Amino acid sequence: MQKAESSAGVSQALRQRAARMRYGLIVVSFCFCSCAFTVLISFGVFTEQRYEAEMSTMHSLAVLALFWVIGVWGLRQRPGLVRQKESDAPKPELPPAQKYEKSALDHDRAERIARKIEAAMAKDLLYRAPDLSLWDLAKHIGVTSHYVSQTLNTHLGKSFFELVNGWRSKDAVTQLTTTDATILVIAYDVGFNSRTAFYKAFRRETGKTPSDLRR
């Protein structure tokens, strides 16, 4: 089976290479003819009337050749609406339990990592770093980013961005209800890079806008 698939792949590659060579030969031939015709004109081989007739013929042939190449090339392309084979279709995302079934991370260690993540957010206020990444969080708590991602998905039931935006929104709620700082100042203080991103994440987490909370 593998030998047959390998032979089919080689054959397809050879056909594609032959097709490219044919198209290249057509282009080279056309360029050669154009150059030769230009040289003949420069030496006065054609009279003015004959020159106009020949140019008209060359123009027609050039347009015909161009459409022919485009047409053949288009027919050789894979149609955009061809139904994907089942084997080529993207595989659905596996649930966390199956996705990490071969991982060496056990339940007890995942619990310890979850506590470290909680401490990094609650005590160290790591979420306030505007450019915080999963790798930064993993480095901060001394754990691989793969284990941090697995712990977030399987034990905390959220993604990294959901975790960070949740903490940022929680901090923003506290500041909005206990301080007189402007909404934009609070947005930057809790780690957001823009007012738009702040409003979007805040509404997703609380169901309200920052302005609604202050009314």
Side-chain angles (χ1 to χ4, degrees):
M1 177 70 71
Q2 293 179 350
K3 186 175 181 180
E5 291 177 353
S6 177
S7 299
V10 171
S11 299
Q12 184 177 2
L14 290 175
R15 288 195 298 269
Q16 292 177 349
R17 183 178 180 183
R20 287 195 294 269
M21 290 179 65
R22 287 197 298 269
Y23 293 131
L25 183 60
I26 291 172
V27 173
V28 171
S29 300
F30 180 75
C31 292
F32 177 78
C33 292
S34 298
C35 292
F37 188 68
T38 302
V39 171
L40 292 174
I41 291 173
S42 64
F43 281 98
V45 175
F46 299 108
T47 62
E48 184 175 354
Q49 293 181 348
R50 188 176 179 184
Y51 169 75
E52 293 179 355
E54 294 292 341
M55 282 299 295
S56 178
T57 303
M58 286 291 293
H59 177 74
S60 300
L61 290 176
V63 173
L64 180 63
L66 178 62
F67 278 101
W68 181 82
V69 171
I70 294 175
V72 173
W73 178 259
L75 291 174
R76 292 181 62 86
Q77 302 306 302
R78 183 178 178 182
L81 298 179
V82 171
R83 185 177 180 179
Q84 257 188 331
K85 294 181 180 179
E86 186 175 351
S87 58
D88 296 335
K91 296 181 180 180
E93 184 73 17
L94 293 174
Q98 297 182 24
K99 184 178 181 180
Y100 301 108
E101 61 182 356
K102 296 182 180 180
S103 174
L105 182 65
D106 56 34
H107 179 79
D108 292 337
R109 190 177 180 187
E111 288 288 347
R112 291 196 296 272
I113 293 175
R115 288 195 293 270
K116 289 183 178 181
I117 293 174
E118 181 78 13
M121 297 297 167
K123 296 180 181 179
D124 302 332
L125 306 180
L126 197 64
Y127 60 86
R128 287 188 174 183
D131 300 321
L132 182 66
S133 65
L134 178 66
W135 187 86
D136 294 329
L137 174 59
K139 184 179 179 182
H140 183 83
I141 65 177
V143 180
T144 65
S145 58
H146 178 75
Y147 281 172
V148 172
S149 178
Q150 180 178 346
T151 300
L152 289 172
N153 291 332
T154 58
H155 281 69
L156 301 180
K158 58 185 66 178
S159 68
F160 170 75
F161 291 104
E162 289 173 341
L163 171 78
V164 174
N165 286 338
W167 279 96
R168 288 174 176 173
S169 298
K170 182 179 178 180
D171 190 351
V173 168
T174 301
Q175 294 194 43
L176 286 167
T177 54
T178 59
T179 72
D180 295 328
T182 65
I183 292 176
L184 187 59
V185 168
I186 293 174
Y188 286 125
D189 185 60
V190 299
F192 288 101
N193 287 314
S194 69
R195 182 187 181 95
T196 302
F198 173 49
Y199 267 74
K200 185 176 180 180
F202 189 89
R203 188 161 192 168
R204 186 186 300 114
E205 292 292 330
T206 66
K208 299 179 180 180
T209 65
S211 301
D212 292 337
L213 197 64
R214 276 192 162 174
R215 289 175 183 171

